[in-house]
Amino acid sequence: MQSLLPLLVGAMVAASVYLMLCRDLIRFIFGLVLASNAVNLLILAAGRADVLSPPLIARGQSVPGQAMANALPQALILTAIVIGFALLAFVFVLFYRAYQELGTVDSEAMRTAESDPDDASAEVDG
Amino acid sequence: MSALPVLAVILPLIFAAIAMLFRPGPRRAHGLALSGAFLHLVLALMLMTRVVNDGIQVVQMGNWPAPFGISLVADSLGAMMVVIAALIGLAAIAYGRHDITADQVDRGFYPLMHILLAAICGAFLTGDLFNLYVWFEVMLMTSFGLLVLGQGRAQLDAGVKYVVINLVATLLFLTALGLVYGMTGTLNMADLHGKLSGAGNGGLRVAVLMLFLAAFGIKAGIFPLYFWLPAAYHTLPPSVAAVFAGLLTKVGVYALMRITTLVFAADAAVAKPVLLGLAVATMISGVLGAAAHRDVRRILSFHIISQVGYMVLGLALLTPLALAGAIFYLVHHIIVKANLFLVGGLMRQAGGSFDLAGLGGLYRRQPLLAALFFIPAFSLAGFPPLSGFWAKMILIRAGLEAGEILAVVATIGVGLLTVYSMTKIWAEGFWKEAEGDGSPKVPLSAWRLAPVAILAVLTVVIGLGAEPVYRLAAGAAEVLLTPELYVTAVLQGGAP
């Protein structure tokens, strides 16, 4: 488990970087999903996932009797998942709206906001 | 122990909730938002005086003792930044009265603005790395919302770029955070200061530090990761642009300061050559971009980048004088930059365009506006006795003392080029004869003029009374450079 997780994280990050380098925004989103999951796994791996006893304290005691799993990485990951989910939902809507307005998902063709500085006719208005 | 640091974060959230729940009409919403922003500024000033008189203020959330719970910490730098953030928020909201359309108010402009301000203050005050991450996310979400409020083609296009690069930065931050937690088992910044120096191996620590630098570097707009900024900021309404330009990148700079002086204090020497090179490259590429453009807002956007370079330079040198210079620069820059974007909106109102080719004759038609542009613009360029002159002078002196001649030469050269692009706006927008003269004199709205005038007066006051501001900055720098003060305040003094 402990040696498998880093390898998995590495493979996921590699795949997500490959996807994110693509000009296609759809692929970028999938890269992003993959990357955020890879980071969550990384937190789990870095937070020492190998202790298999649950973080429960026996009745009537105030400290755990033996070594137990660390519950905090899970809490961190949970927060990250919630935030990541909200961001992802927003990104999907934003990309869809951008596709509707600009008619493309090719990031190379999205030049509306950054026209040539010498081209005075293409003034962008807020 | 007092509740002030908590209130500084919660108050804008309360006002956001009120605005969201009752959805008043544009006029009432503005009045409500304005009173909220004013109260926030008062609270921030109270916090600042408390910090100056009694030292670092610490609040432990939920009464959990320090390394286990989340601490809110207000040291001199944090409190100063909160005051400036509240000030810029107030100015932007006042300006928004005649800048934000009823439709945009309906879509939630004021709640978003309040939450953004709360998140910025939260980031300035938190003493916990994961909490900092959460505030960054809140900041991101609200800024995304504000960015696409207009729903124009350009906004959506800019929004995509802004969102994409900032999400990558967020993931880098989260990765670094996970690794830090794995090495030390804590995320409290004060606790990390002690635990990180002996943890893990040196290579891993440096790698994590570089991850942090990349993550915050993207937020701060440092070379070569700044390109999202000029792609997005010029599509915003001026009052939103002022908050973004003044505060958002500066939160990145602030986080860089905390990371290098507190969390990674022991390894900061590794980052010095990197930061120094990046600072110079940031300054130069930003100012060259500004020289190439002819749209007022784009020139200003590129100047944010070159100015961030100055602050990072101060951070890279890491002497007391340099750090004081960087903090002075931060204060000066936020006020001046936000003001320039607001003035840009006024120029558009008076001259009908953001493009220099379409502007002209403003000096004759709007002498007051000319004066209000002149002060922040030439303060930015570093004309004595305005605030920018002192900020640059302190940094140059610190550079000379540290023997970084190359950086000093770059600083001076970039200063000259800044003068060039500011005179470009001045000559084209204000001095040039307007085409087809006889365009009527547009009356400028008082809601827009008042915040601009107040910020301009502040710029002059900081310039003429540089001594007290410098003393504040030097005090904050001293606190940053003696992290023991911060650590003891959080881990011992803050117990309830």
Side-chain angles (χ1 to χ4, degrees), chain B residues 385-406:
Chain B
L386 297 165
S387 57
F389 167 72
W390 302 107
K392 284 198 169 68
M393 197 189 78
I394 298 167
L395 275 181
I396 289 174
R397 188 161 156 208
L400 285 176
E401 279 178 13
E404 299 288 351
I405 303 301
L406 212 64

PDB file of all heavy atoms in Angstrom, chain B residues 385-406:
ATOM      1  N   PRO B 385       8.044  64.462  -4.221  1.00  0.00           N
ATOM      2  CA  PRO B 385       8.109  63.821  -2.909  1.00  0.00           C
ATOM      3  C   PRO B 385       6.984  62.806  -2.728  1.00  0.00           C
ATOM      4  O   PRO B 385       6.584  62.574  -1.591  1.00  0.00           O
ATOM      5  CB  PRO B 385       7.897  65.007  -1.980  1.00  0.00           C
ATOM      6  CG  PRO B 385       6.892  65.852  -2.713  1.00  0.00           C
ATOM      7  CD  PRO B 385       7.132  65.636  -4.192  1.00  0.00           C
ATOM      8  N   LEU B 386       6.445  62.238  -3.804  1.00  0.00           N
ATOM      9  CA  LEU B 386       5.311  61.328  -3.655  1.00  0.00           C
ATOM     10  C   LEU B 386       5.775  59.983  -3.084  1.00  0.00           C
ATOM     11  O   LEU B 386       6.969  59.679  -3.055  1.00  0.00           O
ATOM     12  CB  LEU B 386       4.625  61.147  -5.005  1.00  0.00           C
ATOM     13  CG  LEU B 386       4.029  62.459  -5.532  1.00  0.00           C
ATOM     14  CD1 LEU B 386       3.695  62.343  -6.997  1.00  0.00           C
ATOM     15  CD2 LEU B 386       2.802  62.833  -4.741  1.00  0.00           C
ATOM     16  N   SER B 387       4.790  59.166  -2.666  1.00  0.00           N
ATOM     17  CA  SER B 387       5.120  57.969  -1.877  1.00  0.00           C
ATOM     18  C   SER B 387       6.039  56.996  -2.630  1.00  0.00           C
ATOM     19  O   SER B 387       6.898  56.356  -2.037  1.00  0.00           O
ATOM     20  CB  SER B 387       3.837  57.265  -1.461  1.00  0.00           C
ATOM     21  OG  SER B 387       3.060  56.935  -2.591  1.00  0.00           O
ATOM     22  N   GLY B 388       5.866  56.905  -3.958  1.00  0.00           N
ATOM     23  CA  GLY B 388       6.658  55.941  -4.713  1.00  0.00           C
ATOM     24  C   GLY B 388       8.138  56.234  -4.686  1.00  0.00           C
ATOM     25  O   GLY B 388       8.982  55.325  -4.761  1.00  0.00           O
ATOM     26  N   PHE B 389       8.484  57.517  -4.579  1.00  0.00           N
ATOM     27  CA  PHE B 389       9.892  57.895  -4.536  1.00  0.00           C
ATOM     28  C   PHE B 389      10.576  57.282  -3.315  1.00  0.00           C
ATOM     29  O   PHE B 389      11.649  56.688  -3.407  1.00  0.00           O
ATOM     30  CB  PHE B 389      10.004  59.423  -4.500  1.00  0.00           C
ATOM     31  CG  PHE B 389      11.377  59.912  -4.145  1.00  0.00           C
ATOM     32  CD1 PHE B 389      12.415  59.788  -5.052  1.00  0.00           C
ATOM     33  CD2 PHE B 389      11.631  60.477  -2.905  1.00  0.00           C
ATOM     34  CE1 PHE B 389      13.682  60.228  -4.732  1.00  0.00           C
ATOM     35  CE2 PHE B 389      12.897  60.914  -2.573  1.00  0.00           C
ATOM     36  CZ  PHE B 389      13.921  60.788  -3.488  1.00  0.00           C
ATOM     37  N   TRP B 390       9.926  57.403  -2.154  1.00  0.00           N
ATOM     38  CA  TRP B 390      10.530  56.863  -0.928  1.00  0.00           C
ATOM     39  C   TRP B 390      10.628  55.354  -1.004  1.00  0.00           C
ATOM     40  O   TRP B 390      11.639  54.772  -0.611  1.00  0.00           O
ATOM     41  CB  TRP B 390       9.707  57.285   0.287  1.00  0.00           C
ATOM     42  CG  TRP B 390       9.601  58.758   0.398  1.00  0.00           C
ATOM     43  CD1 TRP B 390       8.502  59.520   0.144  1.00  0.00           C
ATOM     44  CD2 TRP B 390      10.646  59.670   0.741  1.00  0.00           C
ATOM     45  NE1 TRP B 390       8.810  60.841   0.309  1.00  0.00           N
ATOM     46  CE2 TRP B 390      10.099  60.971   0.685  1.00  0.00           C
ATOM     47  CE3 TRP B 390      11.987  59.510   1.101  1.00  0.00           C
ATOM     48  CZ2 TRP B 390      10.849  62.106   0.968  1.00  0.00           C
ATOM     49  CZ3 TRP B 390      12.738  60.640   1.387  1.00  0.00           C
ATOM     50  CH2 TRP B 390      12.168  61.918   1.316  1.00  0.00           C
ATOM     51  N   ALA B 391       9.540  54.727  -1.529  1.00  0.00           N
ATOM     52  CA  ALA B 391       9.553  53.265  -1.617  1.00  0.00           C
ATOM     53  C   ALA B 391      10.724  52.797  -2.459  1.00  0.00           C
ATOM     54  O   ALA B 391      11.476  51.890  -2.074  1.00  0.00           O
ATOM     55  CB  ALA B 391       8.228  52.782  -2.214  1.00  0.00           C
ATOM     56  N   LYS B 392      10.910  53.434  -3.622  1.00  0.00           N
ATOM     57  CA  LYS B 392      12.011  53.032  -4.492  1.00  0.00           C
ATOM     58  C   LYS B 392      13.353  53.346  -3.853  1.00  0.00           C
ATOM     59  O   LYS B 392      14.306  52.565  -3.949  1.00  0.00           O
ATOM     60  CB  LYS B 392      11.891  53.747  -5.840  1.00  0.00           C
ATOM     61  CG  LYS B 392      10.819  53.170  -6.733  1.00  0.00           C
ATOM     62  CD  LYS B 392      11.057  53.603  -8.168  1.00  0.00           C
ATOM     63  CE  LYS B 392      10.181  52.854  -9.128  1.00  0.00           C
ATOM     64  NZ  LYS B 392       8.751  53.167  -9.028  1.00  0.00           N
ATOM     65  N   MET B 393      13.426  54.500  -3.204  1.00  0.00           N
ATOM     66  CA  MET B 393      14.716  54.904  -2.623  1.00  0.00           C
ATOM     67  C   MET B 393      15.163  53.917  -1.550  1.00  0.00           C
ATOM     68  O   MET B 393      16.338  53.535  -1.508  1.00  0.00           O
ATOM     69  CB  MET B 393      14.602  56.304  -2.038  1.00  0.00           C
ATOM     70  CG  MET B 393      15.952  56.942  -1.809  1.00  0.00           C
ATOM     71  SD  MET B 393      15.828  58.457  -0.894  1.00  0.00           S
ATOM     72  CE  MET B 393      15.616  57.840   0.750  1.00  0.00           C
ATOM     73  N   ILE B 394      14.231  53.501  -0.700  1.00  0.00           N
ATOM     74  CA  ILE B 394      14.597  52.558   0.360  1.00  0.00           C
ATOM     75  C   ILE B 394      15.120  51.266  -0.259  1.00  0.00           C
ATOM     76  O   ILE B 394      16.158  50.722   0.165  1.00  0.00           O
ATOM     77  CB  ILE B 394      13.382  52.252   1.265  1.00  0.00           C
ATOM     78  CG1 ILE B 394      12.890  53.519   1.951  1.00  0.00           C
ATOM     79  CG2 ILE B 394      13.741  51.214   2.305  1.00  0.00           C
ATOM     80  CD1 ILE B 394      11.532  53.378   2.597  1.00  0.00           C
ATOM     81  N   LEU B 395      14.413  50.793  -1.297  1.00  0.00           N
ATOM     82  CA  LEU B 395      14.821  49.527  -1.927  1.00  0.00           C
ATOM     83  C   LEU B 395      16.188  49.658  -2.593  1.00  0.00           C
ATOM     84  O   LEU B 395      17.031  48.761  -2.497  1.00  0.00           O
ATOM     85  CB  LEU B 395      13.780  49.095  -2.950  1.00  0.00           C
ATOM     86  CG  LEU B 395      12.598  48.320  -2.395  1.00  0.00           C
ATOM     87  CD1 LEU B 395      11.659  47.944  -3.506  1.00  0.00           C
ATOM     88  CD2 LEU B 395      13.101  47.079  -1.668  1.00  0.00           C
ATOM     89  N   ILE B 396      16.414  50.773  -3.279  1.00  0.00           N
ATOM     90  CA  ILE B 396      17.705  50.956  -3.967  1.00  0.00           C
ATOM     91  C   ILE B 396      18.829  51.019  -2.946  1.00  0.00           C
ATOM     92  O   ILE B 396      19.886  50.409  -3.106  1.00  0.00           O
ATOM     93  CB  ILE B 396      17.661  52.231  -4.838  1.00  0.00           C
ATOM     94  CG1 ILE B 396      16.750  51.987  -6.032  1.00  0.00           C
ATOM     95  CG2 ILE B 396      19.056  52.628  -5.296  1.00  0.00           C
ATOM     96  CD1 ILE B 396      16.513  53.188  -6.892  1.00  0.00           C
ATOM     97  N   ARG B 397      18.567  51.735  -1.843  1.00  0.00           N
ATOM     98  CA  ARG B 397      19.596  51.828  -0.814  1.00  0.00           C
ATOM     99  C   ARG B 397      19.888  50.442  -0.232  1.00  0.00           C
ATOM    100  O   ARG B 397      21.050  50.069  -0.025  1.00  0.00           O
ATOM    101  CB  ARG B 397      19.126  52.779   0.279  1.00  0.00           C
ATOM    102  CG  ARG B 397      20.211  53.051   1.231  1.00  0.00           C
ATOM    103  CD  ARG B 397      20.015  54.269   2.056  1.00  0.00           C
ATOM    104  NE  ARG B 397      20.823  54.051   3.247  1.00  0.00           N
ATOM    105  CZ  ARG B 397      20.548  54.587   4.404  1.00  0.00           C
ATOM    106  NH1 ARG B 397      19.518  55.377   4.531  1.00  0.00           N
ATOM    107  NH2 ARG B 397      21.312  54.339   5.432  1.00  0.00           N
ATOM    108  N   ALA B 398      18.804  49.672  -0.002  1.00  0.00           N
ATOM    109  CA  ALA B 398      18.998  48.324   0.531  1.00  0.00           C
ATOM    110  C   ALA B 398      19.787  47.474  -0.457  1.00  0.00           C
ATOM    111  O   ALA B 398      20.660  46.690  -0.067  1.00  0.00           O
ATOM    112  CB  ALA B 398      17.639  47.668   0.810  1.00  0.00           C
ATOM    113  N   GLY B 399      19.511  47.643  -1.747  1.00  0.00           N
ATOM    114  CA  GLY B 399      20.231  46.900  -2.767  1.00  0.00           C
ATOM    115  C   GLY B 399      21.703  47.258  -2.783  1.00  0.00           C
ATOM    116  O   GLY B 399      22.578  46.384  -2.886  1.00  0.00           O
ATOM    117  N   LEU B 400      21.998  48.548  -2.649  1.00  0.00           N
ATOM    118  CA  LEU B 400      23.396  48.988  -2.635  1.00  0.00           C
ATOM    119  C   LEU B 400      24.120  48.429  -1.417  1.00  0.00           C
ATOM    120  O   LEU B 400      25.262  47.962  -1.512  1.00  0.00           O
ATOM    121  CB  LEU B 400      23.463  50.521  -2.633  1.00  0.00           C
ATOM    122  CG  LEU B 400      23.141  51.197  -3.961  1.00  0.00           C
ATOM    123  CD1 LEU B 400      23.154  52.703  -3.791  1.00  0.00           C
ATOM    124  CD2 LEU B 400      24.132  50.775  -5.035  1.00  0.00           C
ATOM    125  N   GLU B 401      23.439  48.480  -0.265  1.00  0.00           N
ATOM    126  CA  GLU B 401      24.076  47.980   0.956  1.00  0.00           C
ATOM    127  C   GLU B 401      24.355  46.493   0.868  1.00  0.00           C
ATOM    128  O   GLU B 401      25.334  45.992   1.405  1.00  0.00           O
ATOM    129  CB  GLU B 401      23.177  48.272   2.166  1.00  0.00           C
ATOM    130  CG  GLU B 401      23.326  49.690   2.668  1.00  0.00           C
ATOM    131  CD  GLU B 401      22.406  49.968   3.837  1.00  0.00           C
ATOM    132  OE1 GLU B 401      21.837  49.017   4.416  1.00  0.00           O
ATOM    133  OE2 GLU B 401      22.264  51.164   4.156  1.00  0.00           O
ATOM    134  N   ALA B 402      23.444  45.770   0.144  1.00  0.00           N
ATOM    135  CA  ALA B 402      23.636  44.326   0.015  1.00  0.00           C
ATOM    136  C   ALA B 402      24.607  43.991  -1.110  1.00  0.00           C
ATOM    137  O   ALA B 402      24.960  42.833  -1.299  1.00  0.00           O
ATOM    138  CB  ALA B 402      22.302  43.634  -0.226  1.00  0.00           C
ATOM    139  N   GLY B 403      25.033  45.033  -1.874  1.00  0.00           N
ATOM    140  CA  GLY B 403      26.011  44.804  -2.927  1.00  0.00           C
ATOM    141  C   GLY B 403      25.442  44.158  -4.170  1.00  0.00           C
ATOM    142  O   GLY B 403      26.168  43.590  -4.978  1.00  0.00           O
ATOM    143  N   GLU B 404      24.105  44.248  -4.363  1.00  0.00           N
ATOM    144  CA  GLU B 404      23.490  43.667  -5.559  1.00  0.00           C
ATOM    145  C   GLU B 404      23.370  44.757  -6.627  1.00  0.00           C
ATOM    146  O   GLU B 404      22.291  45.270  -6.908  1.00  0.00           O
ATOM    147  CB  GLU B 404      22.114  43.076  -5.222  1.00  0.00           C
ATOM    148  CG  GLU B 404      22.133  41.972  -4.196  1.00  0.00           C
ATOM    149  CD  GLU B 404      22.713  40.679  -4.761  1.00  0.00           C
ATOM    150  OE1 GLU B 404      22.931  40.602  -5.977  1.00  0.00           O
ATOM    151  OE2 GLU B 404      22.953  39.752  -3.955  1.00  0.00           O
ATOM    152  N   ILE B 405      24.508  45.089  -7.229  1.00  0.00           N
ATOM    153  CA  ILE B 405      24.540  46.236  -8.139  1.00  0.00           C
ATOM    154  C   ILE B 405      23.624  46.018  -9.344  1.00  0.00           C
ATOM    155  O   ILE B 405      22.923  46.924  -9.785  1.00  0.00           O
ATOM    156  CB  ILE B 405      25.987  46.496  -8.622  1.00  0.00           C
ATOM    157  CG1 ILE B 405      26.901  46.706  -7.415  1.00  0.00           C
ATOM    158  CG2 ILE B 405      26.036  47.703  -9.534  1.00  0.00           C
ATOM    159  CD1 ILE B 405      26.512  47.852  -6.536  1.00  0.00           C
ATOM    160  N   LEU B 406      23.623  44.794  -9.844  1.00  0.00           N
ATOM    161  CA  LEU B 406      22.826  44.492 -11.036  1.00  0.00           C
ATOM    162  C   LEU B 406      21.339  44.767 -10.785  1.00  0.00           C
ATOM    163  O   LEU B 406      20.648  45.373 -11.605  1.00  0.00           O
ATOM    164  CB  LEU B 406      23.032  43.022 -11.415  1.00  0.00           C
ATOM    165  CG  LEU B 406      22.949  42.709 -12.899  1.00  0.00           C
ATOM    166  CD1 LEU B 406      24.070  43.397 -13.649  1.00  0.00           C
ATOM    167  CD2 LEU B 406      22.991  41.207 -13.131  1.00  0.00           C
TER     168      LEU B 406
END
